Amino acid sequence: MQREEFVQQLWLDYVHQHPEVGALRLWPLDAPVEYLALATLNHGPWRMDALLPSLLHLGYRPRHRHAMADRGLLATLLSPPDDGPWLVLGELQLGTLSREPRQRLESLVALAPEADRRGQNLLCRGRPWPMPDWDTFQALSVAHPLAGLLAVNGPRLHHAGFDCQRLGESLSHYDRRLTESGFIGSSDRQHGLFPVSGLLDYRFYPACSQRLPFADGDEHRFESGGLALVQKAVSANQERAVELLLPHHTRCEIT
């Protein structure tokens, strides 16, 4: 697999989940994406250390790692060899869950077929294990929102982030256009997959919830991701906006 194919598969899976995002025409179809935020867990072939060799083969290089102990989350920023979108891979640390929800999630993940545990596209396939029942999803969500999300969604793209400066207009301009399109944004820096640095202006727009069948056959509405807009608050900085995305105090050394 080549990197372009990998990114295309990520994007196709994303717009299949969120067709209303794929239908947006507020910027050109070939407009640059600043980053792709993915959610995974530190278990089996979906842990960062196991995914990294394939990502290195595709040309990505780990640039920054962030530890958010209060969220039980490690985030790794990986840069491409060109001006394409960075990957921001958020990894839930199962050891931060209490015993019962950790065991429930591990038991669910263990049901993934062996064929879905191999390959370079483990982040593009959607949920590799069976759909949980509603009670399991609720219990995992109470224990940690990302645990519930991963149980239903699997390791995959959570949201795409766009840098307004690269799109050509201000954040307020695109915020207004998105609102007109039915997307309600939040400037809460704690909303979304991870906290966001004050060095960026930021809006997160949840995608429309979907009605999904759970394991017992009952259907419930589920919100699984969205899109984000960012804009540098300090324009003199020469770094890419994604490099300023996560709070500096969470950064740790990559060994």
Side-chain angles (χ1 to χ4, degrees), residues 154-227:
R156 73 199 315 171
L157 179 57
H158 178 267
H159 70 271
F162 293 86
D163 178 5
C164 297
Q165 183 176 357
R166 299 182 75 196
L167 293 179
E169 297 285 353
S170 67
L171 191 151
S172 60
H173 167 83
Y174 290 116
D175 179 60
R176 184 171 61 255
R177 296 291 306 280
L178 281 165
T179 300
E180 293 169 353
S181 300
F183 287 81
I184 306 303
S186 170
S187 58
D188 182 357
R189 298 182 182 280
Q190 302 300 316
H191 191 77
L193 191 58
F194 27 65
V196 174
S197 164
L199 295 176
L200 295 178
D201 294 325
Y202 170 81
R203 297 287 189 281
F204 181 79
Y205 302 84
C208 297
S209 62
Q210 298 174 309
R211 194 167 184 84
L212 299 179
F214 283 74
D216 291 335
D218 51 336
E219 294 188 352
H220 300 274
R221 300 206 72 86
F222 175 72
E223 182 185 294
S224 61
L227 64 88

Side-chain angles (χ1 to χ4, degrees), residues 24-51:
L24 284 173
R25 295 296 181 266
L26 305 185
W27 41 73
L29 290 175
D30 60 352
V33 180
E34 180 67 4
Y35 67 89
L36 300 172
L38 302 108
T40 190
L41 68 169
N42 68 330
H43 189 76
W46 303 282
R47 69 189 190 278
M48 181 65 204
D49 290 346
L51 294 169

